[in-house]
Amino acid sequence: MSKLGFDFTFESIEKLADIVNDKELSEISVEGENGIKLTIKGKELPPPPPMGMPAIPPQAFAPVPQAVSAEKPAEAAPDHSGKEVKAPIVGTFYSAPSPDSKPFVSVGDTIHKGDTIFIIESMKVMSEVQSELDGVVKEICVSNGDPVEYDQTVMILE
């Protein structure tokens, strides 16, 4: 508490209240020359998070409800008979070297070991993926621009 010879006018009290709000103070106390004491309390602030713990709201960990459609029956697992070509890294699948180019491979194409068959972009780096197998493309399991996980089946060869 400070002794300032404070004059308790409406304007001076209002200025103190503004200081409390602007500086986000919990309270301020002053005492005038005549012994009058004034305490102005601000908004109660939430306690700071414990040291070393991030301030993450509990709802950030709430489970996400899955949408269920009554109109469409559950699809059977895709037929992956054949040789699976899997994503070597996590990223975004691209079927062609640029949006204007034709895809590296299409269903029905014959590919040989070492042929570039798609691109995966990961952390802004484009990585060409070469085939480790010979075969004919039976199915392409992802669409251009789809995210892929490590070891996810990208295409099936016969």
Side-chain angles (χ1 to χ4, degrees):
M1 191 174 311
S2 285
K3 284 195 177 194
L4 300 172
F6 196 79
D7 180 24
F8 290 104
T9 63
F10 179 76
E11 290 81 21
S12 62
I13 294 171
E14 192 173 38
K15 285 182 184 179
L16 284 173
D18 289 341
I19 291 171
V20 169
N21 286 331
D22 292 344
K23 302 289 185 185
E24 296 181 354
L25 301 174
S26 57
E27 69 178 53
I28 190 169
S29 297
V30 292
E31 182 177 337
E33 288 180 349
N34 55 4
I36 296 176
K37 296 177 185 177
L38 174 69
T39 300
I40 299 175
K41 294 188 177 196
K43 297 177 190 171
E44 282 194 34
L45 301 175
M51 293 302 290
M53 297 290 293
I56 300 174
Q59 64 270 24
F61 297 107
V64 177
Q66 298 293 321
V68 177
S69 173
E71 299 171 12
K72 185 176 163 184
E75 294 180 12
D79 176 24
H80 287 305
S81 61
K83 302 177 223 170
E84 295 182 347
V85 176
K86 298 187 177 222
I89 57 175
V90 173
T92 303
F93 170 85
Y94 293 108
S95 60
S98 71
D100 301 337
S101 302
K102 68 178 194 139
F104 290 109
V105 297
S106 299
V107 174
D109 288 354
T110 300
I111 60 172
H112 301 283
K113 186 175 182 178
D115 289 350
T116 299
I117 52 177
F118 57 88
I119 292 174
I120 294 185
E121 176 189 7
S122 181
M123 297 178 62
K124 305 290 184 196
V125 175
M126 300 293 199
S127 300
E128 291 186 353
V129 177
Q130 283 80 34
S131 177
E132 295 179 357
L133 307 166
D134 293 330
V136 176
V137 179
K138 177 180 175 184
E139 178 183 357
I140 299 174
C141 305
V142 293
S143 299
N144 195 48
D146 282 354
V148 292
E149 297 292 326
Y150 170 74
D151 211 32
Q152 177 181 342
T153 301
V154 174
M155 62 181 64
I156 307 292
L157 305 180
E158 293 181 320

